[in-house]
Amino acid sequence: MFLLSVGDKILTCALAMGSSGGRVEGLYRHACKGLSADRLDIVTLQPGETFPDDRIYALMKINDGSIRFDPDHPEWLHKENFLCAFSAPDLMAQFETRYNHDTKRLSLFPRSITDKEYEVALLYSIDMSTPTGRQELADFFTDQSGIPVACVMATDPKNHQFGNTSSGWKQKKDTRTIHIVNAATVRALSKAMNVPLNPTRFRPNIVVDGIPPWSEFDWVKDENLIQIGSAKLEVISRTVRCEGVSIDPLDIDNVVDIPKSLIQHFPQHGPYLGVYAVVQDSGSISLGDNIVTACNTATTVSPLASFSSTREESLKTNSRKRQPTSLKGSLPDRRSLVQTAFSAAAMLGNPFAAFADEESPSTSTPLSIPVEVSPSFPDAKKLFNEGRALESQGNMAAAQRLYAKVTKISPRFIYGWSNLGNTQVAMGDLAGADENYSQAIALCQESLSSVDGGRKCNDLYLLLLNRGSVRLNTNGMAKEALNDLQQANTLRQRPDAIVLQNLARAKELNGMYASADRDYTVSISMTANEVNPFWLRSAMVKLQLGDVKGGFDLLKRVENRFPDAPEVKAASATFLAQQGKQIEAQRKYLEIPDRQRLRYVDDNYLQKVIAWPPAMIDGVTKIAKAVGDKK
């Protein structure tokens, strides 16, 4: 084993330019996210683009009458926001579609029919190029699912697709990727599970065969370009699998837990199967084309990083972290709930863990390597300590690069993943942090279930606390946050102020106001000597429950601590109005600067960004209307 140093040049690849022995077995386009694929014989690709019309339509959930997607400013959105195989696998598996690229018509059929039945079994033939056609599809799936959805379209497919991975977005602010699945890897998993598995279950664009199982991960590790047909692609990350592939669309009775099985049978790879790639050079790919590996251009090795372990050092690092920009309910000049939980966990236990990033462990790791509570490789330990030092200096970007190296050298080391997640929280990459915290959780759980006499992971509640706190601040994941934080609270086995305040927030977001009030009250009783921003949330929950006096008493203490915060002023005005003091309420509200005050007539801001309870939203909306503020 060797380790590259900072500034070293990578000038060679394992195969300079030659056939890998692989070939193309299948080409697939998924025109509408979540619906079935069309098998293709040939596809022409352009640099930076994906398969023509691949995932340019999606069935997006409508929440409170609003749609999150902005076609003029598209960005990657988590699949939880859509009706798809992840959120409704049983429903989506009941239908089959065929899409005509030239006419833009989507034909919808019930699943499991013969070719002779297609003509008579047609449910809809929809012109997807028209708003009327897309509305027709949305209405059908709204009726079928009971969930209001809108059929959204990437108006410029050269700039956007509704893909499953954030890898392209994180690397180049572009969602367009191509998903490649190795049929040999699928066969290896199928054999281990003793269950028939079809590569199309994993929703690929390209199915390859003729290469060893898992060898496609080397394309990520070695930073290789690959040439398929006449097109050259750069493989950027592995594919983390979710429950959406647990149902086989070709056999809806074939239901298995794919992520769990991957971790169980191939723990060195984690819950990964498949890779994502982006097109570097244009060209065509046909069935039967060979796969050729090619060296990427010479690259400079980034400064290496290491792992942080002591709680005190992590806490110091947190105080210098840049705030994530998308967190709910944050007051000016205060740390978010995510950061509060992050700091607390740093004090209470080992550094947090995480779920493997899509660009992670080396495939050369032996299957027999146990979960590591401390790094077994000296190089990983050295890098880990260097990362701790960088974190303590507030250099999160450099620390993140080092922790990423640690996860490649020691992919079974729990806290390599957790510290990588910590730096991602600090830099506002909550999606990446969620994935890495999840990897650490899986490893910690595996450690606890192991029968060997090795050292065990004792920080599962902290890992769940950290991931739950991230999910609190991720739209569409309130239920997942609640589940994590309830588990963390149970594992903690005694009242914990940080756990309870985050659990209360999760319950609030899920409409469990009475239970949230109890948890907020206990947490406040444990921190009574220091007013914290979450006290404002507690006050608002009390108003939602009708306890105006109790909420107002709490709010006054928050107002004394944060007198200039616009959110506090808006909340104070709402409480005054609830007490019948309309003139005082309007005066307080007008203390908010004009531009900031306009936020409180924005339904999206109130419901999604700061996520106030309904009674608070109703109250502040009436005040805004009374003073003449308009959207």
Side-chain angles (χ1 to χ4, degrees):
M1 182 179 188
F2 69 96
L3 191 65
L4 294 170
S5 301
V6 175
D8 283 353
K9 298 288 184 179
I10 305 172
L11 298 174
T12 60
C13 297
L15 295 172
M17 189 69 178
S19 174
S20 69
R23 63 188 179 278
V24 176
E25 288 294 312
L27 298 170
Y28 301 92
R29 173 189 57 224
H30 301 78
C32 185
K33 181 181 181 72
L35 295 178
S36 62
D38 298 293
R39 185 177 174 91
L40 308 175
D41 295 324
I42 186 172
V43 64
T44 300
L45 302 175
Q46 299 298 328
E49 297 182 13
T50 184
F51 277 36
D53 284 4
D54 186 67
R55 296 173 172 89
I56 65 166
Y57 309 105
L59 296 164
M60 174 164 278
K61 297 177 183 177
I62 301 174
N63 294 314
D64 300 322
S66 63
I67 301 173
R68 289 190 60 198
F69 179 67
D70 181 354
D72 295 325
H73 302 91
E75 61 181 21
W76 180 82
L77 294 171
H78 190 272
K79 49 198 167 188
E80 174 64 29
N81 294 286
F82 302 93
L83 195 68
C84 60
F86 172 78
S87 60
D90 296 289
L91 173 65
M92 305 310 278
Q94 294 177 27
F95 301 99
E96 182 173 348
T97 55
R98 292 182 176 183
Y99 179 77
N100 187 306
H101 171 73
D102 295 324
T103 65
K104 309 301 182 187
R105 295 198 74 87
L106 182 79
S107 298
L108 181 67
F109 306 89
R111 180 72 71 176
S112 302
I113 59 175
T114 66
D115 288 339
K116 293 181 179 180
E117 294 176 316
Y118 271 106
E119 186 174 346
V120 296
L122 177 68
L123 297 173
Y124 285 98
S125 177
I126 299 167
D127 185 352
M128 297 295 285
S129 67
T130 67
T132 301
R134 295 192 293 274
Q135 184 62 51
E136 188 176 9
L137 184 68
D139 290 344
F140 175 80
F141 278 99
T142 294
D143 292 340
Q144 293 292 318
S145 66
I147 300 171
V149 297
C151 182
V152 292
M153 174 183 175
T155 53
D156 186 354
K158 292 185 177 181
N159 292 325
H160 187 76
Q161 72 170 159
F162 296 102
N164 292 329
T165 180
S166 60
S167 297
W169 184 259
K170 288 188 285 188
Q171 292 201 16
K172 55 188 178 67
K173 297 302 178 186
D174 193 325
T175 61
R176 295 167 301 165
T177 54
I178 290 173
H179 187 209
I180 304 173
V181 167
N182 180 2
T185 301
V186 177
R187 287 194 296 272
L189 178 62
S190 177
K191 181 178 180 181
M193 296 172 61
N194 195 28
V195 172
L197 299 175
N198 191 303
T200 57
R201 181 187 205 121
F202 300 93
R203 306 187 67 76
N205 293 118
I206 303 175
V207 174
V208 300
D209 207 347
I211 59 174
W214 311 106
S215 62
E216 65 274 22
F217 287 175
D218 292 334
W219 299 338
V220 182
K221 178 183 64 176
D222 295 336
E223 299 184 352
N224 279 356
L225 292 179
I226 60 171
Q227 180 171 323
I228 307 179
S230 59
K232 286 185 179 180
L233 293 80
E234 179 187 1
V235 183
I236 61 172
S237 69
R238 301 177 307 157
T239 308
V240 63
R241 306 316 322 197
C242 68
E243 294 179 359
V245 295
S246 293
I247 292 181
D248 185 350
L250 301 180
D251 180 5
I252 61 176
D253 293 325
N254 184 348
V255 181
V256 290
D257 191 333
I258 295 292
K260 180 179 179 180
S261 298
L262 284 167
I263 294 171
Q264 176 184 350
H265 297 293
F266 301 97
Q268 74 274 34
H269 300 307
Y272 297 93
L273 193 153
V275 293
Y276 286 107
V278 294
V279 181
Q280 292 293 332
D281 293 337
S282 61
S284 296
I285 300 176
S286 301
L287 294 176
D289 279 350
N290 291 327
I291 303 168
V292 176
T293 56
C295 238
N296 205 340
T297 54
T299 59
T300 302
V301 179
S302 300
L304 305 178
S306 74
F307 169 71
S308 76
S309 68
T310 68
R311 298 155 179 80
E312 293 78 14
E313 287 172 336
S314 290
L315 180 58
K316 291 176 183 176
T317 298
N318 294 341
S319 67
R320 286 189 282 269
K321 297 200 298 276
R322 179 172 67 84
Q323 278 189 297
T325 58
S326 61
L327 303 182
K328 293 177 184 171
S330 59
L331 293 172
D333 303 318
R334 83 182 193 203
R335 288 187 300 177
S336 66
L337 288 180
V338 157
Q339 291 173 301
T340 303
F342 178 60
S343 301
M347 291 187 290
L348 294 170
N350 284 332
F352 315 122
F355 201 61
D357 186 69
E358 293 160 338
E359 314 166 350
S360 44
S362 165
T363 58
S364 62
T365 306
L367 181 64
S368 60
I369 288 182
V371 174
E372 298 174 359
V373 179
S374 59
S376 59
F377 294 109
D379 289 334
K381 186 174 182 179
K382 177 177 180 292
L383 294 176
F384 182 71
N385 290 328
E386 289 176 6
R388 289 172 51 199
L390 289 167
E391 277 195 278
S392 68
Q393 298 163 13
N395 191 344
M396 294 296 172
Q400 183 176 114
R401 290 193 292 269
L402 291 181
Y403 291 140
K405 293 287 184 180
V406 170
T407 62
K408 291 186 178 183
I409 298 170
S410 293
R412 305 278 286 162
F413 176 35
I414 297 171
Y415 302 112
W417 297 111
S418 69
N419 276 39
L420 180 57
N422 293 349
T423 60
Q424 289 169 313
V425 171
M427 298 181 70
D429 180 11
L430 300 188
D434 187 290
E435 292 175 1
N436 287 306
Y437 286 142
S438 297
Q439 176 68 9
I441 289 169
L443 290 171
C444 185
Q445 290 171 330
E446 185 181 341
S447 165
L448 293 172
S449 64
S450 174
V451 296
D452 63 36
R455 187 178 170 192
K456 303 296 184 183
C457 166
N458 296 317
D459 296 316
L460 183 56
Y461 96 86
L462 290 171
L463 308 180
L464 289 164
L465 168 61
N466 235 34
R467 187 176 69 177
S469 300
V470 166
R471 290 177 171 183
L472 272 180
N473 294 282
T474 304
N475 284 333
M477 299 199 74
K479 290 182 180 179
E480 290 84 351
L482 178 61
N483 181 59
D484 279 354
L485 294 165
Q486 285 176 327
Q487 291 185 66
N489 187 48
T490 300
L491 290 168
R492 186 62 173 142
Q493 296 184 326
R494 61 181 176 83
D496 183 294
I498 299 299
V499 174
L500 287 173
Q501 72 186 53
N502 283 277
L503 178 57
R505 180 76 174 114
K507 289 178 177 178
E508 179 190 341
L509 291 177
N510 283 278
M512 303 165 61
Y513 296 108
S515 184
D517 182 46
R518 290 192 292 271
D519 288 340
Y520 275 135
T521 299
V522 174
S523 183
I524 288 172
S525 71
M526 300 174 72
T527 59
N529 293 327
E530 181 182 355
V531 176
N532 285 290
F534 80 88
W535 289 25
L536 177 62
R537 305 299 317 185
S538 178
M540 292 191 289
V541 166
K542 288 185 182 297
L543 185 141
Q544 179 68 31
L545 293 170
D547 183 7
V548 179
K549 182 181 184 303
F552 190 64
D553 290 344
L554 198 57
L555 175 63
K556 294 302 292 183
R557 296 188 64 183
V558 177
E559 194 171 23
N560 289 335
R561 177 69 176 82
F562 304 101
D564 298 321
E567 187 179 356
V568 173
K569 290 181 182 293
S572 180
T574 305
F575 270 89
L576 288 169
Q578 286 289 326
Q579 298 172 67
K581 302 175 182 178
Q582 302 300 332
I583 301 301
E584 290 182 51
Q586 292 175 27
R587 287 174 180 168
K588 175 63 70 173
Y589 180 75
L590 290 171
E591 290 179 9
I592 304 172
D594 291 349
R595 289 185 62 184
Q596 295 183 19
R597 203 171 65 239
L598 291 177
R599 295 174 178 175
Y600 297 93
V601 295
D602 182 343
D603 292 338
N604 184 68
Y605 180 76
L606 291 170
Q607 296 171 8
K608 303 297 182 183
V609 180
I610 59 175
W612 275 15
M616 290 292 298
I617 293 176
D618 182 63
V620 78
T621 300
K622 290 178 179 177
I623 297 171
K625 183 177 180 180
V627 301
D629 283 350
K630 298 179 180 179
K631 296 181 181 180

